[in-house]
Amino acid sequence: MKRNSRLSLALHTLSHMAGDPDHVRTSVDIADHAGTNPVVVRRVLGRLREAGLLISEKGHAGGWRLARSPNLITLADVYLALDESLVATEKDEHSPTCSVEHALHRRVSSVMKEIEQSLIERLSETTISEVRGE
Amino acid sequence: MKRNSRLSLALHTLSHMAGDPDHVRTSVDIADHAGTNPVVVRRVLGRLREAGLLISEKGHAGGWRLARSPNLITLADVYLALDESLVATEKDEHSPTCSVEHALHRRVSSVMKEIEQSLIERLSETTISEVRGE
DNA sequence: ACATAACGTAACTTTACTAGTTGCGTTAAT
DNA sequence: ATTAACGCAACTAGTAAAGTTACGTTATGT
Protein backbone atom coordinates (compact mmCIF):
# COMPACT_ATOMS: atom_id res chain seq x y z
CA MET A 1 0.00 0.00 0.00
CA LYS A 2 1.02 3.60 -0.12
CA ARG A 3 3.26 5.19 2.40
CA ASN A 4 2.24 7.47 5.18
CA SER A 5 -1.29 6.18 4.99
CA ARG A 6 -1.92 6.28 8.72
CA LEU A 7 -3.17 9.84 8.67
CA SER A 8 -5.35 9.12 5.65
CA LEU A 9 -6.83 6.06 7.30
CA ALA A 10 -7.45 7.91 10.56
CA LEU A 11 -9.04 10.97 9.00
CA HIS A 12 -11.12 8.95 6.61
CA THR A 13 -12.48 6.78 9.40
CA LEU A 14 -13.18 9.65 11.75
CA SER A 15 -14.92 11.60 9.03
CA HIS A 16 -17.30 8.72 8.49
CA MET A 17 -17.87 8.41 12.22
CA ALA A 18 -18.67 12.11 12.34
CA GLY A 19 -21.56 11.44 9.97
CA ASP A 20 -23.13 8.86 12.26
CA PRO A 21 -21.57 9.17 15.72
CA ASP A 22 -23.73 6.56 17.46
CA HIS A 23 -22.82 3.77 15.08
CA VAL A 24 -20.23 1.40 16.58
CA ARG A 25 -17.90 0.03 13.91
CA THR A 26 -15.70 -3.05 14.03
CA SER A 27 -12.13 -3.00 12.83
CA VAL A 28 -13.14 -5.49 10.13
CA ASP A 29 -15.81 -3.16 8.74
CA ILE A 30 -13.45 -0.20 8.86
CA ALA A 31 -10.68 -2.18 7.19
CA ASP A 32 -13.01 -3.35 4.43
CA HIS A 33 -14.13 0.17 3.73
CA ALA A 34 -10.59 1.53 3.72
CA GLY A 35 -9.15 -1.38 1.75
CA THR A 36 -6.76 -2.51 4.43
CA ASN A 37 -6.34 -4.99 7.25
CA PRO A 38 -8.17 -5.04 10.61
CA VAL A 39 -4.92 -5.27 12.53
CA VAL A 40 -3.64 -2.17 10.82
CA VAL A 41 -6.88 -0.42 11.72
CA ARG A 42 -6.54 -1.38 15.38
CA ARG A 43 -2.93 -0.23 15.32
CA VAL A 44 -3.75 3.20 13.96
CA LEU A 45 -7.00 3.79 15.81
CA GLY A 46 -5.29 2.60 18.99
CA ARG A 47 -3.19 5.77 18.84
CA LEU A 48 -6.34 7.82 18.62
CA ARG A 49 -7.78 5.98 21.61
CA GLU A 50 -4.64 6.77 23.63
CA ALA A 51 -5.10 10.41 22.69
CA GLY A 52 -8.70 10.32 23.92
CA LEU A 53 -10.32 10.76 20.51
CA LEU A 54 -11.84 7.30 20.22
CA ILE A 55 -13.24 4.64 22.50
CA SER A 56 -12.91 0.95 21.73
CA GLU A 57 -14.88 -1.79 23.38
CA LYS A 58 -13.98 -5.43 23.49
CA GLY A 59 -16.22 -8.45 23.41
CA HIS A 60 -19.14 -9.60 21.37
CA ALA A 61 -20.75 -6.28 20.47
CA GLY A 62 -17.52 -4.33 20.68
CA GLY A 63 -16.04 -1.88 18.22
CA TRP A 64 -15.02 1.73 17.77
CA ARG A 65 -16.77 5.06 18.28
CA LEU A 66 -15.94 8.71 18.84
CA ALA A 67 -15.04 9.68 22.38
CA ARG A 68 -16.60 13.14 22.00
CA SER A 69 -18.67 15.25 19.67
CA PRO A 70 -17.17 15.36 16.16
CA ASN A 71 -17.27 19.15 16.10
CA LEU A 72 -14.81 19.07 18.99
CA ILE A 73 -12.24 17.03 17.08
CA THR A 74 -9.97 18.93 14.72
CA LEU A 75 -7.64 17.67 12.04
CA ALA A 76 -4.79 18.84 14.26
CA ASP A 77 -5.99 16.58 17.09
CA VAL A 78 -5.70 13.62 14.76
CA TYR A 79 -2.37 14.71 13.36
CA LEU A 80 -0.89 15.15 16.83
CA ALA A 81 -2.35 11.90 18.11
CA LEU A 82 -0.49 10.02 15.39
CA ASP A 83 2.79 11.82 16.05
CA GLU A 84 3.13 11.98 12.30
CA SER A 85 5.29 14.95 11.39
CA LEU A 86 4.34 15.41 7.77
CA VAL A 87 7.06 17.98 7.94
CA ALA A 88 10.23 15.92 7.75
CA THR A 89 12.30 16.47 10.84
CA GLU A 90 16.05 16.31 10.44
CA LYS A 91 17.06 13.32 12.49
CA ASP A 92 20.43 14.08 13.99
CA GLU A 93 22.52 11.03 14.72
CA HIS A 94 26.22 11.65 14.20
CA SER A 95 27.39 13.67 17.19
CA PRO A 96 30.91 14.52 15.98
CA THR A 97 30.14 16.91 13.14
CA CYS A 98 31.87 20.02 11.93
CA SER A 99 30.79 23.50 12.99
CA VAL A 100 29.32 24.34 9.61
CA GLU A 101 27.03 21.36 9.86
CA HIS A 102 25.94 22.42 13.34
CA ALA A 103 25.07 25.92 12.20
CA LEU A 104 23.14 24.52 9.25
CA HIS A 105 21.23 22.09 11.36
CA ARG A 106 20.21 24.80 13.80
CA ARG A 107 19.01 27.06 11.01
CA VAL A 108 17.08 24.41 9.13
CA SER A 109 15.59 22.95 12.29
CA SER A 110 14.28 26.29 13.42
CA VAL A 111 12.59 26.86 10.08
CA MET A 112 11.08 23.38 10.16
CA LYS A 113 9.70 23.91 13.64
CA GLU A 114 8.06 27.14 12.53
CA ILE A 115 6.52 25.39 9.57
CA GLU A 116 5.31 22.47 11.62
CA GLN A 117 3.70 24.88 14.05
CA SER A 118 1.86 26.75 11.33
CA LEU A 119 0.72 23.45 9.85
CA ILE A 120 -0.82 22.51 13.19
CA GLU A 121 -2.50 25.88 13.45
CA ARG A 122 -4.03 25.50 10.03
CA LEU A 123 -5.20 21.96 10.74
CA SER A 124 -6.80 23.05 13.99
CA GLU A 125 -9.13 25.34 12.06
CA THR A 126 -11.09 22.43 10.64
CA THR A 127 -13.11 19.84 12.54
CA ILE A 128 -13.89 16.37 11.29
CA SER A 129 -17.54 17.40 10.99
CA GLU A 130 -16.75 20.37 8.78
CA VAL A 131 -14.56 18.55 6.35
CA ARG A 132 -17.40 16.37 5.10
CA GLY A 133 -19.42 19.16 3.62
CA GLU A 134 -16.60 21.10 2.02
CA MET B 1 22.59 5.57 6.58
CA LYS B 2 19.86 7.93 7.56
CA ARG B 3 16.96 8.76 5.36
CA ASN B 4 16.43 11.94 3.45
CA SER B 5 20.08 12.86 3.71
CA ARG B 6 20.30 14.39 0.26
CA LEU B 7 19.36 17.85 1.44
CA SER B 8 21.80 17.58 4.35
CA LEU B 9 24.59 16.47 2.08
CA ALA B 10 23.87 19.21 -0.44
CA LEU B 11 23.61 22.03 2.08
CA HIS B 12 26.63 20.88 4.01
CA THR B 13 28.75 20.73 0.89
CA LEU B 14 27.59 24.06 -0.45
CA SER B 15 28.19 25.75 2.88
CA HIS B 16 31.78 24.62 2.83
CA MET B 17 32.15 25.78 -0.74
CA ALA B 18 30.79 29.16 0.28
CA GLY B 19 33.71 29.52 2.67
CA ASP B 20 36.27 28.99 -0.10
CA PRO B 21 34.57 29.42 -3.47
CA ASP B 22 37.67 29.05 -5.62
CA HIS B 23 38.63 25.67 -4.24
CA VAL B 24 37.68 22.85 -6.62
CA ARG B 25 36.67 19.71 -4.73
CA THR B 26 36.55 16.13 -5.95
CA SER B 27 33.63 13.85 -5.18
CA VAL B 28 36.03 11.66 -3.20
CA ASP B 29 37.05 14.53 -0.93
CA ILE B 30 33.46 15.60 -0.47
CA ALA B 31 32.34 12.05 0.26
CA ASP B 32 35.12 11.59 2.81
CA HIS B 33 34.17 14.77 4.60
CA ALA B 34 30.49 13.92 4.60
CA GLY B 35 31.01 10.29 5.51
CA THR B 36 29.44 8.88 2.39
CA ASN B 37 30.27 7.51 -1.03
CA PRO B 38 31.60 9.45 -4.07
CA VAL B 39 28.89 8.05 -6.31
CA VAL B 40 26.23 9.29 -3.96
CA VAL B 41 27.89 12.69 -3.97
CA ARG B 42 27.91 12.83 -7.76
CA ARG B 43 24.27 11.76 -7.78
CA VAL B 44 23.16 14.50 -5.41
CA LEU B 45 25.42 17.27 -6.67
CA GLY B 46 24.41 16.34 -10.21
CA ARG B 47 20.94 17.65 -9.41
CA LEU B 48 22.45 20.91 -8.26
CA ARG B 49 24.46 21.13 -11.47
CA GLU B 50 21.28 20.64 -13.52
CA ALA B 51 19.73 23.47 -11.55
CA GLY B 52 22.67 25.71 -12.34
CA LEU B 53 24.02 25.96 -8.81
CA LEU B 54 27.20 23.97 -9.34
CA ILE B 55 29.68 23.32 -12.10
CA SER B 56 31.51 20.03 -12.46
CA GLU B 57 34.55 19.44 -14.59
CA LYS B 58 35.79 16.12 -15.82
CA GLY B 59 39.32 14.96 -16.35
CA HIS B 60 42.52 15.04 -14.41
CA ALA B 61 42.11 18.27 -12.46
CA GLY B 62 38.33 18.08 -12.45
CA GLY B 63 35.91 18.48 -9.58
CA TRP B 64 33.10 20.62 -8.24
CA ARG B 65 32.69 24.32 -7.57
CA LEU B 66 29.92 26.89 -7.17
CA ALA B 67 28.40 28.22 -10.38
CA ARG B 68 27.81 31.67 -8.87
CA SER B 69 28.53 33.76 -5.83
CA PRO B 70 27.46 32.01 -2.61
CA ASN B 71 25.45 35.00 -1.48
CA LEU B 72 23.26 34.47 -4.53
CA ILE B 73 22.37 30.90 -3.56
CA THR B 74 19.60 30.47 -1.03
CA LEU B 75 18.53 27.42 0.92
CA ALA B 76 15.37 27.43 -1.17
CA ASP B 77 17.41 27.14 -4.37
CA VAL B 78 18.97 23.97 -3.02
CA TYR B 79 15.69 22.61 -1.73
CA LEU B 80 13.97 23.17 -5.06
CA ALA B 81 16.90 21.78 -7.05
CA LEU B 82 16.56 18.49 -5.20
CA ASP B 83 12.81 18.35 -5.66
CA GLU B 84 12.69 17.16 -2.09
CA SER B 85 9.34 18.07 -0.57
CA LEU B 86 10.10 17.88 3.10
CA VAL B 87 6.41 18.47 3.40
CA ALA B 88 4.88 15.06 2.76
CA THR B 89 2.62 15.22 -0.22
CA GLU B 90 -0.41 12.96 -0.21
CA LYS B 91 0.15 10.59 -3.07
CA ASP B 92 -3.23 9.74 -4.47
CA GLU B 93 -3.44 6.39 -6.17
CA HIS B 94 -6.85 4.73 -5.76
CA SER B 95 -9.20 6.55 -8.10
CA PRO B 96 -12.47 4.96 -6.96
CA THR B 97 -12.83 6.48 -3.49
CA CYS B 98 -15.82 7.66 -1.54
CA SER B 99 -16.91 11.29 -1.46
CA VAL B 100 -15.79 11.79 2.11
CA GLU B 101 -12.29 10.79 1.16
CA HIS B 102 -12.30 13.19 -1.75
CA ALA B 103 -13.36 16.09 0.43
CA LEU B 104 -10.68 15.22 2.96
CA HIS B 105 -8.00 14.95 0.35
CA ARG B 106 -8.87 18.33 -1.09
CA ARG B 107 -8.80 19.97 2.30
CA VAL B 108 -5.55 18.42 3.47
CA SER B 109 -3.84 18.97 0.12
CA SER B 110 -4.67 22.63 0.10
CA VAL B 111 -3.22 23.06 3.57
CA MET B 112 -0.08 21.17 2.61
CA LYS B 113 0.43 23.32 -0.47
CA GLU B 114 0.18 26.46 1.63
CA ILE B 115 2.68 25.07 4.08
CA GLU B 116 5.10 24.02 1.39
CA GLN B 117 4.92 27.49 -0.08
CA SER B 118 5.68 29.18 3.21
CA LEU B 119 8.56 26.78 3.79
CA ILE B 120 10.10 27.82 0.49
CA GLU B 121 9.62 31.47 1.35
CA ARG B 122 11.36 31.04 4.67
CA LEU B 123 14.23 29.09 3.11
CA SER B 124 14.73 31.75 0.48
CA GLU B 125 15.55 34.27 3.21
CA THR B 126 18.88 32.63 3.97
CA THR B 127 21.84 32.24 1.65
CA ILE B 128 24.51 29.58 1.95
CA SER B 129 26.99 32.29 2.92
CA GLU B 130 24.86 33.54 5.78
CA VAL B 131 24.22 30.19 7.34
CA ARG B 132 27.87 29.66 8.22
CA GLY B 133 28.13 32.52 10.63
CA GLU B 134 24.77 32.08 12.38
C1' DA C 1 51.19 9.07 -27.20
C1' DC C 2 50.10 7.38 -22.86
C1' DA C 3 49.16 7.15 -18.03
C1' DT C 4 46.44 9.22 -14.68
C1' DA C 5 42.63 11.17 -12.23
C1' DA C 6 38.51 12.96 -12.38
C1' DC C 7 33.25 12.76 -13.62
C1' DG C 8 28.78 10.09 -15.64
C1' DT C 9 25.98 6.39 -15.36
C1' DA C 10 24.00 1.87 -15.13
C1' DA C 11 23.17 -2.11 -12.43
C1' DC C 12 23.15 -4.37 -8.36
C1' DT C 13 23.11 -4.95 -3.09
C1' DT C 14 22.08 -3.37 1.44
C1' DT C 15 19.40 -1.09 4.79
C1' DA C 16 15.47 0.79 7.02
C1' DC C 17 10.77 1.62 7.32
C1' DT C 18 5.90 0.70 6.65
C1' DA C 19 2.13 -2.08 5.65
C1' DG C 20 0.32 -6.48 5.75
C1' DT C 21 -0.40 -11.04 7.90
C1' DT C 22 -0.82 -14.79 11.25
C1' DG C 23 -1.69 -16.43 15.63
C1' DC C 24 -3.21 -16.40 20.10
C1' DG C 25 -4.82 -14.45 24.46
C1' DT C 26 -8.52 -11.62 26.64
C1' DT C 27 -13.06 -9.82 27.05
C1' DA C 28 -17.99 -9.40 26.93
C1' DA C 29 -22.63 -10.41 24.95
C1' DT C 30 -25.85 -13.95 23.80
C1' DA D 1 -20.36 -22.26 26.49
C1' DT D 2 -20.07 -20.11 22.24
C1' DT D 3 -19.19 -16.37 19.63
C1' DA D 4 -17.36 -12.05 18.10
C1' DA D 5 -14.86 -8.44 19.10
C1' DC D 6 -10.21 -6.04 20.58
C1' DG D 7 -4.90 -6.26 22.12
C1' DC D 8 -0.63 -7.48 21.03
C1' DA D 9 3.49 -9.81 19.59
C1' DA D 10 6.05 -11.74 15.92
C1' DC D 11 6.87 -12.46 11.39
C1' DT D 12 6.70 -11.44 6.14
C1' DA D 13 6.51 -8.46 2.06
C1' DG D 14 7.10 -4.37 -0.43
C1' DT D 15 9.41 -0.09 -1.28
C1' DA D 16 12.54 3.73 -1.42
C1' DA D 17 16.96 5.53 -0.37
C1' DA D 18 21.71 4.81 0.34
C1' DG D 19 25.68 2.35 -0.68
C1' DT D 20 28.64 -0.30 -3.90
C1' DT D 21 30.82 -2.06 -8.07
C1' DA D 22 32.07 -1.59 -12.61
C1' DC D 23 33.09 0.58 -16.69
C1' DG D 24 33.01 4.28 -20.13
C1' DT D 25 34.36 9.14 -21.10
C1' DT D 26 37.11 13.22 -20.61
C1' DA D 27 40.86 16.22 -19.71
C1' DT D 28 45.45 16.99 -17.73
C1' DG D 29 50.34 16.34 -17.53
C1' DT D 30 54.55 14.12 -18.63
Side-chain angles (χ1 to χ4, degrees):
Chain A
M1 204 197 177
K2 70 182 167 191
R3 252 173 127 154
N4 216 359
S5 65
R6 287 179 302 192
L7 185 62
S8 299
L9 173 58
L11 290 175
H12 185 186
T13 304
L14 264 61
S15 299
H16 276 289
M17 287 175 165
D20 186 2
D22 295 330
H23 182 194
V24 173
R25 286 151 225 257
T26 69
S27 56
V28 170
D29 289 344
I30 296 168
D32 285 350
H33 182 78
T36 184
N37 188 290
V39 178
V40 174
V41 170
R42 292 200 283 265
R43 227 179 251 163
V44 173
L45 299 194
R47 305 275 203 111
L48 304 185
R49 183 188 54 231
E50 287 165 23
L53 304 180
L54 285 179
I55 290 170
S56 68
E57 268 154 20
K58 301 176 182 177
H60 196 140
W64 300 82
R65 61 192 171 81
L66 296 177
R68 60 177 186 258
S69 171
N71 55 17
L72 296 178
I73 298 177
T74 72
L75 302 187
D77 291 327
V78 181
Y79 175 77
L80 292 171
L82 293 178
D83 197 24
E84 276 286 279
S85 78
L86 287 183
V87 175
T89 168
E90 299 258 293
K91 28 202 160 215
D92 42 76
E93 334 189 306
H94 39 234
S95 324
T97 54
C98 71
S99 67
V100 167
E101 193 162 0
H102 271 126
L104 253 171
H105 187 262
R106 275 200 306 277
R107 175 66 63 113
V108 174
S109 289
S110 90
V111 172
M112 296 313 279
K113 273 179 196 152
E114 268 180 49
I115 297 303
E116 169 98 14
Q117 194 52 45
S118 65
L119 170 63
I120 291 168
E121 280 165 19
R122 283 288 285 115
L123 291 178
S124 69
E125 292 166 7
T126 306
T127 71
I128 59 170
S129 310
E130 287 165 353
V131 83
R132 297 176 55 87
E134 189 184 40
Chain B
M1 203 198 178
K2 71 183 165 190
R3 248 171 130 156
N4 216 359
S5 64
R6 288 179 301 193
L7 184 62
S8 299
L9 172 58
L11 290 175
H12 185 187
T13 303
L14 264 62
S15 299
H16 277 290
M17 288 176 163
D20 187 2
D22 295 329
H23 181 194
V24 173
R25 287 149 224 258
T26 69
S27 56
V28 170
D29 289 344
I30 294 168
D32 286 348
H33 182 78
T36 185
N37 188 291
V39 178
V40 173
V41 170
R42 292 200 284 265
R43 228 179 251 162
V44 173
L45 298 194
R47 305 274 203 111
L48 304 185
R49 182 190 54 231
E50 287 166 21
L53 305 180
L54 285 179
I55 290 170
S56 68
E57 268 155 19
K58 302 176 183 176
H60 196 139
W64 300 83
R65 60 191 171 82
L66 296 176
R68 60 177 186 258
S69 172
N71 55 20
L72 295 178
I73 299 177
T74 71
L75 302 187
D77 291 328
V78 181
Y79 176 78
L80 292 171
L82 293 178
D83 198 23
E84 275 286 280
S85 78
L86 288 183
V87 175
T89 168
E90 300 259 293
K91 26 202 160 215
D92 40 78
E93 336 190 304
H94 38 233
S95 323
T97 54
C98 71
S99 68
V100 167
E101 194 163 0
H102 271 126
L104 254 172
H105 187 261
R106 275 200 306 277
R107 175 67 62 114
V108 174
S109 290
S110 90
V111 172
M112 296 313 279
K113 272 178 196 154
E114 268 181 48
I115 296 303
E116 170 96 13
Q117 194 53 44
S118 64
L119 171 62
I120 292 168
E121 281 165 18
R122 283 288 286 112
L123 291 178
S124 69
E125 293 166 7
T126 306
T127 70
I128 59 170
S129 310
E130 287 166 352
V131 82
R132 298 175 54 86
E134 189 184 40

